[in-house]
Amino acid sequence: MKILEIKDVHAKIGEKEILKGLNLELEPGKVHAIMGPNGAGKSTLSKTIVGHYDVEVTEGDILYKGKSILNMEPEERALEGIFLSFQHPVEIPGVNNAYFLRTALNAKRKHEGKEELNAAEFLREMKKYLEMLGMKADMISRSLNEGFSGGEKKRNEILQMLMLEPEVIILDEIDSGLDIDALRAVSEGINMMKDGKRSFLVITHYSRILDYIKPDYIHVLKDGRIIKTAGPELVAQLEEEGYESIEEEA
Amino acid sequence: MAQEEINKAVSGEYSLGFEIDIETDVVPPGLNEDTIRFISKKKEEPEWMLELRLKAFEKWQKMEEPRWGHLKYEPIDYQSISYFAAPKKGPESLDEVDPKILEAYKKLGIPLEEQKQLAGVAVDAVVDSVSVKTTYTEELNKHGIIFCSISEAIKDYPELIKKYMFSVVPMTDNFYAALNSAVFTDGTFVYIPKGVRCPMELSTYFRINALNTGQFERTLIVADEGSYVSYNEGCSAPTRDENQLHAAVVELVAMKDAEIKYSTIQNWYPGDENGKGGIYNFVTKRGICAGDNSKISWTQVETGSAITWKYPSCILKGDNSVGEFYSVAVTTLAQQADTGTKMIHLGKNTSSTIISKGISAMKGQNTYRGLVKIGANAHGARNYSECDSLLIGDQCGAHTFPYLESKDIHGQVEHEATTSKISDEQLFYLRQRGIDEESAVSMIVHGFCKEVFSQLPMEYAVEAKALLELTLEGSVG
Ligand SMILES: Nc1ncnc2c1ncn2[C@@H]1O[C@H](COP(=O)(O)OP(=O)(O)OP(=O)(O)O)[C@@H](O)[C@H]1O
Ligand SMILES: [Mg+2]
């Protein structure tokens, strides 16, 4: 059983076709890395999966646990367990970070028929993860992403992932702009989430994060399609020879 | 129509001494000296007040309605308005109240007792043009605080009224202020004696109840040396069809070391999505920091009215005095708001802060108009202004007109203005975390208004948030 199946998806942003018949399957419990040149359509793929309104799917289908999600609202997909760590998390002035995250978490708990967490219970949890990720305590009261440094934004994405416990986790360049300590903390957070059931789709340009989180598969995305899938050994080849060397597999 | 023609035809007779029956509860539409004599008589006013009213009326007749606001509306026929109405008997119980209004009360979380008051079921709230004594009076008396209707004050405290009324907003200040000075029917008077810190929030609900009756309240708050008061003005009006004119005047006087905090939630009927119905709100609000180290702070949340024309202002006369203006103005449906503030720096080291947040949705039009004026002797004056607009959808509009006049070259003025559309990326971010669209919008809007809401007294802030949510309900998508 696949957890996510992307079947021959064609997708446009505006008039421009960006995904051109993309196929990809995520297996439960596995880490799938996606690499590919700038502008190939990696972020567009992640947006397509989570239902961003900029993207129009013209052909193909996306199945999550066997069911098509193309007609689901973004929040429904999220509540069902699909999470995207954004390449560029947006700033939302005046919205308290903890308040936001508690609202999101309680929406999810409600969806799952669980009790909502009260403020005290929630804060206890949040503090635990803040500490683990080496984040400052003022992240509780600051406005969501507002004025956060690049690294702080990325850690805040991981914090949300840890607390929301999604099942399909898409990480769009989580490693960009991170210093060594941050990279280690973020990787630890990701590894903690591995439970044999969750799958990860890790979009990256660098092998460094892959050394930490040990991908099972490497997919090469070029010009709107997955042109090659291989084991982790492919990373070394890509680093050496670049994307030009990759021939599309039959 | 026919009645209107007749009224017009006979209106010449009014000015020839046609007496209005003093027993009546509503005067016939129209405005002339007799209407004013009638109001004054109904209020049992002393002769000097009547004289002042007549003087204002005479001046008003020579004045022109201002047209510089960024507002569009049909000319108002001042002769078709009735200028006095005693309260009508309210409904017997909440069962008789329009379910739509009750629904709104419920969403605002207004307690049942208060709902009754708002719907006019109980009589001990300010209903229409006659205000009724509030409950706190006794406690306030202990501190020597005066909190009463302006009509009572005219009778009971003529010296204070003579001294301070028209001292901040002269009767000829502007067209609407002159009209108000001639025909004001009620309002509030507050006096805080020297060194007294008012032990509770003072608040009055103003409502517009009788159909087709212009509302002309007049509020005067005087904080004597070293005193403090926080005053809340909250409003709610039931749905109706006809445009109603509201032209209030508020005057604040803060003496040496005194502080006045004036908070408003304005939620009058905004009219429908085509702009039909709704209230025209032309208000003059001004405070003077008369003494050194005094402070006046205006906080307003404006969500109602078809048209809002309102510029709560501060004259910073005392040295080191402080003026603040925090505003959230929401326009949705076809509402139009032209609002802002004036900060007039006269004293040394005076400082002012302006935080204005305009939110426009649907076909709403929101204009910020602000003036910072620094006088020649206002050495060391400082102003910080921040005007942000948030657009929801693409049929609405936001306009910003900041003016600065500085005679002091050392004055420090900082101005920041932003206009942002509620960004699809912000909305998407929240939805990707499982928050539904409506909650996501309200979260972003609350975030946008945070600096202003944090200035409101606690319960008031809660009310403001609920109101904002209700106002913007269904305006997205
Ligand atoms: N909103 C948009 N409007 C127009 N073009 C867009 C939009 N979003 C993406 N594109 C275009 O789609 C193509 C794919 O973009 P995408 O962001 O998916 O690339 P990427 O593979 O994530 O690149 P990078 O490695 O630089 O992040 C690019 O040519 C980009 O310019
Ligand atoms: Mg990208």
Side-chain angles (χ1 to χ4, degrees):
Chain A
M1 228 303 257
K2 311 292 178 198
I3 191 161
L4 194 76
E5 298 161 78
I6 300 165
K7 297 183 154 177
D8 192 31
V9 164
H10 291 252
K12 304 196 289 189
I13 292 185
E15 285 308 300
K16 192 174 163 198
E17 186 173 70
I18 294 164
L19 302 186
K20 302 167 182 169
L22 189 142
N23 287 288
L24 179 66
E25 291 179 343
L26 299 193
E27 292 173 18
K30 300 289 188 217
V31 177
H32 298 252
I34 291 198
M35 303 186 81
N38 293 129
K42 299 182 298 298
S43 292
T44 304
L45 171 63
S46 60
K47 283 181 177 175
T48 308
I49 298 169
V50 294
H52 195 288
Y53 7 75
D54 282 353
V55 183
E56 187 195 343
V57 175
T58 52
E59 256 184 85
D61 205 352
I62 301 178
L63 308 183
Y64 174 60
K65 297 182 181 170
K67 275 194 252 152
S68 176
I69 55 169
L70 287 184
N71 289 322
M72 281 164 70
E73 295 292 330
E75 55 267 38
E76 291 176 70
R77 300 185 200 198
L79 293 172
E80 288 295 326
I82 302 176
F83 178 92
L84 169 62
S85 162
F86 289 83
Q87 184 174 353
H88 303 289
V90 66
E91 305 195 357
I92 310 189
V95 173
N96 175 285
N97 198 27
Y99 174 74
F100 148 73
L101 188 47
R102 183 155 81 94
T103 307
L105 182 56
N106 279 338
K108 179 128 199 283
R109 292 179 67 95
K110 200 171 156 202
H111 182 75
E112 290 165 355
K114 292 187 195 148
E115 286 271 309
E116 296 191 0
L117 288 187
N118 68 33
E121 292 165 334
F122 170 82
L123 272 182
R124 210 174 307 127
E125 284 287 291
M126 183 170 177
K127 278 184 184 151
K128 195 174 84 190
Y129 289 114
L130 279 177
E131 209 166 299
M132 210 200 86
L133 292 168
M135 294 168 77
K136 295 198 197 90
D138 70 356
M139 289 294 162
I140 293 170
S141 54
R142 282 176 68 175
S143 295
L144 178 49
N145 292 327
E146 196 187 21
F148 286 20
S149 74
E152 285 169 340
K153 281 182 182 162
K154 294 296 167 83
R155 288 193 217 212
N156 203 42
E157 296 288 288
I158 294 300
L159 172 75
Q160 293 170 44
M161 173 197 76
L162 288 168
M163 295 197 71
L164 294 171
E165 305 183 314
E167 291 170 69
V168 165
I169 296 166
I170 308 164
L171 303 163
D172 193 351
E173 298 200 19
I174 190 68
D175 52 338
S176 301
L178 293 189
D179 65 32
I180 299 159
D181 292 342
L183 185 69
R184 192 173 297 133
V186 159
S187 303
E188 268 170 30
I190 295 167
N191 287 334
M192 250 183 73
M193 289 298 276
K194 290 187 190 165
D195 67 347
K197 291 192 218 102
R198 293 193 174 97
S199 339
F200 296 80
L201 189 63
V202 184
I203 299 171
T204 182
H205 289 294
Y206 308 104
S207 60
R208 218 174 41 171
I209 188 167
L210 301 178
D211 294 340
Y212 284 107
I213 58 177
K214 309 263 180 283
D216 299 287
Y217 301 100
I218 309 289
H219 309 276
V220 178
L221 199 166
K222 203 173 157 186
D223 197 21
R225 300 154 65 94
I226 300 291
I227 58 164
K228 188 179 179 76
T229 293
E233 69 284 352
L234 183 62
V235 181
Q237 186 194 335
L238 287 173
E239 293 243 299
E240 213 146 292
E241 301 171 28
Y243 296 112
E244 288 304 319
S245 67
I246 307 293
E247 291 291 314
E248 180 159 2
E249 294 167 332
Chain B
M1 192 65 212
Q3 186 57 43
E4 217 176 281
E5 292 299 318
I6 295 167
N7 286 348
K8 277 202 181 123
V10 299
S11 63
E13 264 178 73
Y14 280 154
S15 53
L16 293 173
F18 182 92
E19 274 279 314
I20 301 163
D21 180 6
I22 192 75
E23 295 307 317
T24 189
D25 277 341
V26 183
V27 292
L31 182 55
N32 54 50
E33 285 201 5
D34 285 327
T35 328
I36 291 163
R37 285 178 199 283
F38 172 84
I39 292 169
S40 191
K41 200 162 174 183
K42 265 281 188 194
K43 297 266 156 201
E44 299 164 359
E45 285 177 356
E47 190 63 21
W48 58 266
M49 193 67 237
L50 176 63
E51 295 298 321
L52 287 171
R53 286 177 181 274
L54 291 172
K55 199 165 120 198
F57 179 61
E58 198 196 314
K59 305 243 172 158
W60 176 73
Q61 284 175 302
K62 297 187 192 116
M63 295 173 84
E64 282 202 28
E65 198 171 342
R67 278 292 178 182
W68 43 260
H70 196 91
L71 303 166
K72 275 192 209 122
Y73 56 96
E74 292 294 308
I76 298 165
D77 178 3
Y78 291 90
Q79 294 302 337
S80 72
I81 295 168
S82 168
Y83 288 85
F84 182 87
K88 279 203 193 131
K89 205 172 153 293
E92 294 286 324
S93 75
L94 280 178
D95 300 340
E96 295 169 35
V97 177
D98 183 348
K100 259 206 230 148
I101 294 172
L102 291 181
E103 182 67 24
Y105 289 164
K106 226 168 76 192
K107 286 185 181 159
L108 291 171
I110 296 172
L112 207 63
E113 269 316 300
E114 221 166 300
Q115 290 187 21
K116 284 188 194 163
Q117 275 189 15
L118 287 171
V121 176
V123 281
D124 51 328
V126 174
V127 180
D128 271 315
S129 316
V130 175
S131 58
V132 188
K133 271 206 175 172
T134 61
T135 45
Y136 330 113
T137 318
E138 272 181 31
E139 167 73 11
L140 296 174
N141 281 345
K142 276 196 275 180
H143 296 86
I145 294 168
I146 303 170
F147 179 44
C148 65
S149 79
I150 201 96
S151 310
E152 281 176 284
I154 289 166
K155 282 179 275 184
D156 299 346
Y157 310 101
E159 294 319 312
L160 286 172
I161 296 292
K162 280 185 197 166
K163 186 164 175 195
Y164 293 111
M165 191 186 269
F166 308 118
S167 76
V168 192
V169 180
M171 60 169 64
T172 53
D173 186 79
N174 66 69
F175 181 84
Y176 306 111
L179 178 62
N180 175 290
S181 303
V183 302
F184 70 90
T185 40
D186 220 325
T188 306
F189 175 67
V190 177
Y191 174 80
I192 315 288
K194 274 186 194 170
V196 170
R197 207 184 151 83
C198 185
M200 57 186 92
E201 302 276 337
L202 298 182
S203 51
T204 313
Y205 278 98
F206 288 109
R207 302 190 315 110
I208 300 179
N209 211 26
L211 191 70
N212 226 0
T213 307
Q215 286 282 298
F216 304 94
E217 287 113 4
R218 203 156 179 117
T219 299
L220 173 61
I221 299 178
V222 179
D224 215 328
E225 286 182 17
S227 68
Y228 168 86
V229 63
S230 169
Y231 183 85
N232 302 335
E233 172 201 70
C235 312
S236 146
T239 303
R240 62 189 54 254
D241 279 324
E242 270 167 83
N243 288 316
Q244 284 195 305
L245 176 64
H246 187 99
V249 170
V250 177
E251 294 176 282
L252 309 183
V253 181
M255 313 299 263
K256 189 167 173 288
D257 299 318
E259 178 177 349
I260 302 175
K261 198 170 157 62
Y262 194 103
S263 310
T264 307
I265 293 181
Q266 188 268 113
N267 178 28
W268 285 324
Y269 182 57
D272 64 17
E273 60 274 22
N274 299 312
K276 192 176 147 33
I279 283 163
Y280 288 9
N281 190 20
F282 301 100
V283 189
T284 306
K285 288 185 164 175
R286 192 176 303 152
I288 183 165
C289 286
D292 293 351
N293 313 315
S294 54
K295 178 174 174 183
I296 289 179
S297 171
W298 298 100
T299 306
Q300 59 173 25
V301 177
E302 305 278 322
T303 65
S305 294
I307 292 180
T308 303
W309 182 97
K310 182 175 183 183
Y311 316 91
S313 305
C314 298
I315 301 169
L316 304 171
K317 185 164 168 252
D319 291 347
N320 313 315
S321 61
V322 176
E324 292 176 339
F325 174 73
Y326 297 96
S327 169
V328 168
V330 184
T331 55
T332 173
L333 301 163
Q335 286 175 279
Q336 309 173 58
D338 192 304
T339 181
T341 185
K342 288 183 224 167
M343 293 290 174
I344 316 289
H345 293 255
L346 302 176
K348 294 185 185 59
N349 298 318
T350 46
S351 74
S352 60
T353 303
I354 300 172
I355 308 281
S356 161
K357 305 277 179 179
I359 301 169
S360 317
M362 297 171 91
K363 287 189 267 175
Q365 292 292 326
N366 221 319
T367 300
Y368 168 81
R369 195 181 295 278
L371 170 69
V372 176
K373 199 170 176 172
I374 299 186
N377 296 321
H379 304 305
R382 294 182 307 282
N383 165 267
Y384 175 75
S385 302
E386 188 187 309
C387 309
D388 301 323
S389 310
L390 187 67
L391 305 178
I392 304 176
D394 44 25
Q395 283 184 287
C396 54
H399 320 272
T400 306
F401 302 103
Y403 303 98
L404 168 69
E405 287 173 42
S406 182
K407 297 219 168 73
D408 178 58
I409 47 163
H410 302 297
Q412 260 186 43
V413 177
E414 267 179 79
H415 182 88
E416 279 181 30
T418 67
T419 297
S420 43
K421 231 171 112 52
I422 208 164
S423 101
D424 286 344
E425 292 310 319
Q426 292 177 333
L427 210 51
F428 188 77
Y429 188 93
L430 299 180
R431 294 179 71 186
Q432 208 303 303
R433 298 304 186 244
I435 298 169
D436 67 79
E437 186 172 17
E438 197 132 23
S439 310
V441 169
S442 92
M443 199 180 266
I444 294 168
V445 169
H446 287 163
F448 179 74
C449 299
K450 193 176 186 175
E451 283 164 284
V452 175
F453 285 172
S454 65
Q455 294 297 324
L456 290 170
M458 180 92 117
E459 306 91 274
Y460 228 44
V462 172
E463 210 179 301
K465 277 186 190 171
L467 183 58
L468 202 64
E469 228 151 86
L470 188 62
T471 307
L472 291 173
E473 201 171 80
S475 64
V476 185

